[in-house]
Amino acid sequence: PIHPYRNGRLAVDEIHTLYWEECGNPLGVPVLFLHGGPGSGLSVKHRQFFDPAYYRIVLFDQRGAGQSTPLGEVRNNTTQLLINDIERIRNMLEIDQWLVFGGSWGSTLALAYGQAHPERCTGFVLRGIFLCTKPEIEWFLNRIQWLFPEVYAQFVADIPEAERTDLLRAFGRRLFGGDPTESLKAARAWGRYEGRCLHLLPRPEVADQFGSDAVALGVGRLEAHYFLHDAFLDDDQLINNIDRIAHLPATIIQGRYDVVCPALSAWRLHQAWPQASYFMIEDAGHAAFEPGICQALVAATERFRLTGRL
């Protein structure tokens, strides 16, 4: 376990206040951790991917997530604003450049941030790649049922049959319709759905955690919000702009049996960015703490520590 040596709250506008923390070596090599979701928030375990004697580890809860307030808030919540938040944190901490580490939605945000500010990045560690394209959103909402039919059935149980042809907007009406009870119920269904699909082998405690109010409100509301707006990105923007960061070291780590963010997205990213190292973990699903994925992530931060390469 690693404990922060400094933390705080940063008001970024009239609505949102972000929680941030620093761990490890205050004089070490800066690394930025970007959590998934959007809306999943931080775990204390996220600090442990990095050698605390070497790295200055910066973590924060994105708008509407974790300990940032208000939880689940979608107003003033866009990818561009999250990129601006990262820059505000970097400037506040007087960091010139940092290694950027992100998985799932964190990989989306890492790529978007890097392409907006390549001069601030020393490299990228990316896991469970999500490019937030329409086919990926369609997969998450409607195609996972081919592998998890009973989980999917529970996900859509409260959506009338007639509304299931556009499941995203059906959930949107409930999540953002103004009825707090209905919104929470829909968020719990969304969170449990994702939580039950994260691992290669069942982890019921994770599904329960994702179905809890503290996680579900962030995950359900923010994921639906970002999906409804295609993550505020142009079509295939993260692939089309890869030349902006192609000169930087990077590693792509992907679980073969990742159902939440299937391997095709990681493969597409690697085809566009052949200079990046590419590791397919053959006995893993989506989650960062699948044993093989966790080992590969730590190995990547150790390679960067020892060689400056990824």
Side-chain angles (χ1 to χ4, degrees):
I2 301 171
H3 301 286
Y5 62 79
R6 184 163 68 144
N7 60 19
R9 296 186 175 275
L10 174 65
V12 290
D13 63 18
E14 67 279 6
I15 298 174
H16 293 276
T17 299
L18 307 182
Y19 170 80
W20 60 269
E21 62 183 40
E22 288 189 274
C23 307
N25 181 354
L27 301 177
V29 172
V31 58
L32 171 68
F33 178 90
L34 297 174
H35 68 67
S40 293
L42 297 176
S43 160
V44 295
K45 287 186 174 182
H46 291 152
R47 306 163 183 163
Q48 295 175 255
F49 290 114
F50 316 96
D51 181 346
Y54 179 78
Y55 285 104
R56 178 184 178 187
I57 310 158
V58 180
L59 309 94
F60 78 103
D61 283 317
Q62 296 157 31
R63 296 185 182 216
Q67 296 183 65
S68 293
T69 57
L71 180 63
E73 179 57 68
V74 299
R75 292 175 298 165
N76 291 8
N77 205 326
T78 69
T79 303
Q80 290 71 33
L81 288 172
L82 297 184
I83 291 170
N84 292 345
D85 292 345
I86 293 171
E87 278 295 275
R88 289 187 67 166
I89 292 169
R90 186 187 62 77
N91 284 313
M92 178 186 69
L93 299 178
E94 298 181 335
I95 292 171
D96 184 49
Q97 291 182 305
W98 46 14
L99 177 66
V100 183
F101 181 113
S104 194
W105 163 257
S107 73
T108 320
L109 184 55
L111 290 166
Y113 170 75
Q115 291 171 8
H117 298 282
E119 74 285 356
R120 298 304 178 189
C121 304
T122 56
F124 300 87
V125 178
L126 306 173
R127 184 268 312 167
I129 303 304
F130 183 57
L131 303 171
C132 212
T133 60
K134 290 183 186 299
E136 290 167 294
I137 295 170
E138 165 67 14
W139 168 270
F140 180 86
L141 288 164
N142 294 304
R143 304 304 177 201
I144 287 179
Q145 66 176 313
W146 284 90
L147 295 170
F148 286 89
E150 73 288 356
V151 175
Y152 185 84
Q154 292 184 20
F155 175 47
V156 302
D158 292 322
I159 306 295
E161 193 76 37
E163 293 186 57
R164 294 182 190 175
T165 54
D166 193 342
L167 203 56
L168 181 54
R169 280 171 175 75
F171 265 95
R173 284 190 288 273
R174 288 156 177 81
L175 288 164
F176 311 120
D179 182 338
T181 301
E182 186 174 57
S183 179
L184 179 57
K185 185 178 181 182
R188 286 171 176 160
W190 189 294
R192 282 194 298 267
Y193 172 60
E194 181 168 335
R196 293 179 67 186
C197 299
L198 291 174
H199 292 86
L200 180 62
L201 300 177
R203 294 281 301 276
E205 73 281 7
V206 174
D208 291 343
Q209 178 190 6
F210 268 69
S212 68
D213 294 359
V215 178
L217 276 172
V219 169
R221 286 174 57 83
L222 267 64
E223 287 187 2
H225 168 67
Y226 274 78
F227 288 3
L228 282 163
H229 294 90
D230 298 318
F232 304 91
L233 299 171
D234 294 334
D235 185 42
D236 223 9
Q237 176 179 322
L238 301 179
I239 293 293
N240 293 336
N241 291 342
I242 203 67
D243 61 298
R244 298 181 182 179
I245 55 174
H247 62 288
L248 294 168
T251 191
I252 300 166
I253 296 166
Q254 178 72 32
R256 172 70 73 189
Y257 299 104
D258 186 337
V259 172
V260 176
C261 297
L264 180 59
S265 296
W267 178 248
R268 290 188 66 231
L269 180 61
H270 183 47
Q271 294 306 294
W273 197 359
Q275 304 94 322
S277 301
Y278 180 73
F279 298 92
M280 182 64 71
I281 310 304
E282 297 293 348
D283 58 349
H286 179 68
F289 297 108
E290 292 275 61
I293 290 179
C294 188
Q295 183 179 26
L297 289 169
V298 172
T301 65
E302 283 295 279
R303 272 196 310 278
F304 192 77
R305 178 179 71 86
L306 295 169
T307 68
R309 298 192 297 269
L310 287 164

